[in-house]
Amino acid sequence: MKIAKFLLLLAILSGSGTSFAQQLPMPRNIEVAYQRGTRSADGTPGKSYWQNTADYTIKVQYDPASRRVAGTVEIDYTNNSPDTLKQVVFKLYPNLYQKGAPRANGIDPKDVSEGVQIERLSVNQEPQDVQKLRMENTNMTVRIKPLAPKQKGRFSLAYHYQLNAGSHNRTGQVDEAGAAFLAYFFPRIAVYDDVDGWNRIPYLGPQEFYNDFCNFNVEITVPQHFVVWATGDLKNASEVFTKKYAKRLQDAEKKDAIVAIIDSTDLKRRDITAKNAQNTWKFEAKNVVDFAFATSDHYLWNATSLVVDPATKRRTRVDVAFNPAHKDFVEVIHFARKTVEAMSYTFPKWPFPYSHETIFDGLDQMEYPMMVNDNPVATREDAITLTDHEIFHTMFPFYMGTNETKYGWMDEGWATIGEWIISSIIEPKLVDDYGVQPYSMMAGTEVDLPITTLSTQQTGAAFYLNSYPKPAFGYLYVKEMLGDELFTKALHTYIRNWNGKHPLPLDFFNSMNAGAGRNLNWFWKRWFFDEGTPDLAIAHVQKNGSQYQVTVESKGTKPVPVELNITYADNTTSKVKRDISVWEKGNTTVQVEFTPTKAVKKLELKGTYIPDTNPRDNVYEVK
């Protein structure tokens, strides 16, 4: 099919029933995917869509005293692509700490290491010379005999490295008593996809991750008394726990009540784990993009569970494992449970997709499938917003499989709007305005790039604005415009289309258009692709009889809702609100009319989630 005909077809399909629709920018490399049929203009995966996968069998031993991580990995890799692969790229994320490795931020010299040491490697049972491996910091390329489409290859590795003691960037030792959070702890095969081929983007620290959906069978060996929490289901609880604690865990999976699986008296008794010098904890996780684990011999553990899918009565267990010294974690079990409940029944109103969610008292603010590594915080409000933000990532990027490395806004923006909504469900008095003021201050400055700028091309403030508040505003404004019911229908269309897969930005926009039955490209383009600022002003106020006519001008090019706050002479207030659809035609002014029942003192344009670069012209004092 020729390009011109293809783009004409795309315009018709994305019009959602209209004869003409504004087109969203399409980079040439993305256009090729649509031409090849791996992506579709209606938002669904194309007829030729594919993605690769693997089964991982991992046996790892962690020594808290030396921080040595040593293990073996067996990978059964399936090439579902139409290409014959002559090489395979591995990700060695712990090499962020390797001597000489490039990184965006400095680390303590004490944490500089030799990185991941590959002791042996075989491909389809043929040993490889590990001295000749092509190492490029966090990437390792292995040349192989051609792996044809639909064929499988087996990769076997043995490796070791030393976990960082400080310079905690999502993983590392948590305290000198032995607690640790281990992420990215095994060599994994990088994503090979329909747009970029191999994901060779080096891991430098700030940008996050992109992994295939895989199955994991993991055995984790730690010393006696150390408990392990991990992605996936614990398959041998009766072997690693003594009978009493295995029973408590079993009870927690069936009860709404909060169960203290490990309390302070249990820690003193030290009778929690099996009486072996080393215990091996066995976990299984299917169709997930990552696997992480945490361990400690001195943490409390609270747990509860709830029905997340009323149709099947499926339950999700919620865990909080924490240092007794960190009192802020005592309430986190309530915040976490309410977050899982809100996600299942309110927003995004989709049954929580995993069997458990564990919040671990660590040294970061980072999410993993079924796991959260959260640091202690100063206030109750901070604990609420941090907990719900990180748990919300369960849907984006894990259930949806987005490429965080390139498109940070496709996961962090959702976690931000999720935080805004769920924080007030947990605590009605809490107004969560995370990111609102920073965007108002920096909008239109030279760091304010379009949201769709690749995350790999941004640092600092630009990366923050485009990953967190700006996309969250965009999602929220569409939600307000469509209303909860239609927005949920559109969002669920996107989720159904792409869960367990790898959606691109256009897949999201097209899915939302299809689900809403409306072409929203006018907004997507102006908010996500274009430069500009949000800046409203009260341009004119006229009173005709008892009716006020307020002319609101959009001095900026970013469409935001109009929220006119009315203060009366007796200091009572009311408001009139218009959603972003008032700017759909490209107009720069809109009339807001209201008829008060008492004397008006002041008019002001403002709203918690309406940024404005120049609020000075938002106020009108009635004379």
Side-chain angles (χ1 to χ4, degrees), residues 6 49 68 110 119 126 150 158 166-167 241 245 262 264 277 306 310 312 358 418 455 492 524 570 572 580 606 617:
F6 168 74
Y49 179 80
R68 177 183 168 87
K110 295 178 182 178
E119 299 169 7
E126 293 186 9
K150 307 303 179 184
S167 308
F241 284 117
Y245 300 95
I262 300 174
S264 57
L306 66 153
T312 64
T358 300
S455 297
H492 284 191
W524 302 136
D570 61 1
T572 59
I580 55 169
K606 68 176 182 179
D617 52 15

Side-chain angles (χ1 to χ4, degrees), residues 58-266:
I58 302 171
K59 297 182 179 181
V60 63
Q61 185 164 15
Y62 176 62
D63 177 19
S66 65
R67 306 191 314 280
R68 177 183 168 87
V69 182
T72 60
V73 187
E74 302 286 336
I75 308 171
D76 290 314
Y77 183 73
T78 303
N79 178 21
N80 289 319
S81 82
D83 306 322
T84 296
L85 304 179
K86 298 180 181 179
Q87 59 183 7
V88 170
V89 176
F90 285 79
K91 291 293 183 182
L92 306 176
Y93 289 124
N95 280 358
L96 178 72
Y97 295 92
Q98 187 179 44
K99 182 179 180 180
R103 57 185 76 91
N105 302 306
I107 63 174
D108 190 317
K110 295 178 182 178
D111 285 313
V112 175
S113 72
E114 295 302 314
V116 178
Q117 301 296 298
I118 304 297
E119 299 169 7
R120 60 174 172 81
L121 167 66
S122 65
V123 180
N124 294 325
Q125 299 182 331
E126 293 186 9
Q128 308 295 303
D129 186 348
V130 296
Q131 301 302 317
K132 295 182 179 179
L133 291 175
R134 181 180 160 193
M135 297 282 199
E136 297 172 299
N137 302 305
T138 56
N139 288 339
M140 178 177 76
T141 303
V142 178
R143 297 198 64 83
I144 62 172
K145 292 179 179 179
L147 183 63
K150 307 303 179 184
Q151 296 299 304
K152 291 178 179 285
R154 167 160 278 214
F155 301 83
S156 300
L157 304 94
Y159 71 99
H160 70 270
Y161 73 95
Q162 188 173 39
L163 186 71
N164 52 298
S167 308
H168 197 100
N169 189 9
R170 306 187 175 109
T171 183
Q173 178 179 274
V174 173
D175 60 37
E176 293 184 356
F181 196 102
L182 286 87
Y184 332 115
F185 63 91
F186 58 95
R188 75 185 66 204
I189 296 179
V191 174
Y192 183 84
D193 68 19
D194 61 320
V195 173
D196 296 322
W198 287 111
N199 171 26
R200 298 181 183 275
I201 299 172
Y203 174 49
L204 303 178
Q207 279 76 33
E208 295 182 10
F209 304 93
Y210 182 36
N211 297 308
D212 277 320
F213 285 87
C214 299
N215 298 320
F216 292 88
N217 279 285
V218 183
E219 297 185 5
I220 302 162
T221 300
V222 293
Q224 183 190 9
H225 303 306
F226 277 80
V227 176
V228 175
W229 298 266
T231 300
D233 298 320
L234 178 62
K235 308 304 289 186
N236 65 333
S238 61
E239 296 176 10
V240 292
F241 284 117
T242 55
K243 187 175 181 179
K244 175 172 58 175
Y245 300 95
K247 177 68 164 55
R248 289 180 185 176
L249 179 60
Q250 188 179 48
D251 289 345
E253 292 176 342
K254 301 174 183 177
K255 292 183 177 180
D256 291 342
I258 294 170
V259 176
I261 296 178
I262 300 174
D263 63 24
S264 57
T265 57
D266 299 324

Side-chain angles (χ1 to χ4, degrees), residues 208 347 367 388-389 392-393 395-397 402 404 407-421 434 451 455 463-477 487 491 508 527-528:
E208 295 182 10
F347 183 76
E367 68 283 352
D388 58 30
H389 181 107
F392 202 87
H393 275 300
M395 292 297 295
F396 313 92
T402 57
E404 302 171 88
Y407 315 115
W409 59 272
M410 292 185 75
D411 76 292
E412 293 296 354
W414 285 111
T416 301
I417 184 179
E419 174 189 331
W420 289 346
I421 292 171
Y434 175 69
I451 293 173
S455 297
F463 177 78
Y464 171 76
L465 294 178
N466 282 334
S467 296
Y468 294 82
K470 287 172 64 179
F473 286 130
Y475 304 145
L476 180 64
Y477 298 160
F487 179 82
L491 181 56
F508 164 68
W527 193 265
F528 287 84

Side-chain angles (χ1 to χ4, degrees), residues 32-52:
V32 170
Y34 282 82
Q35 291 173 329
R36 291 176 176 170
T38 56
R39 312 277 163 167
S40 177
D42 64 0
T44 59
K47 292 181 179 180
S48 300
Y49 179 80
W50 56 268
Q51 65 191 46
N52 291 348

Side-chain angles (χ1 to χ4, degrees), residues 244-261 301-308 313-319 333-334 336-338 340-341 355-356:
K244 175 172 58 175
Y245 300 95
K247 177 68 164 55
R248 289 180 185 176
L249 179 60
Q250 188 179 48
D251 289 345
E253 292 176 342
K254 301 174 183 177
K255 292 183 177 180
D256 291 342
I258 294 170
V259 176
I261 296 178
W301 181 2
N302 290 331
T304 181
S305 66
L306 66 153
V307 173
V308 295
K313 303 301 181 183
R314 180 173 60 82
R315 301 180 76 91
T316 288
R317 191 186 78 240
V318 180
D319 303 318
I333 188 67
H334 301 284
R337 179 190 169 89
K338 288 181 179 179
V340 171
E341 182 180 45
S355 59
H356 79 85

Side-chain angles (χ1 to χ4, degrees), residues 499-511:
N499 81 78
K501 301 180 178 66
H502 294 313
L504 297 174
L506 285 173
D507 299 321
F508 164 68
F509 297 129
N510 291 335
S511 290

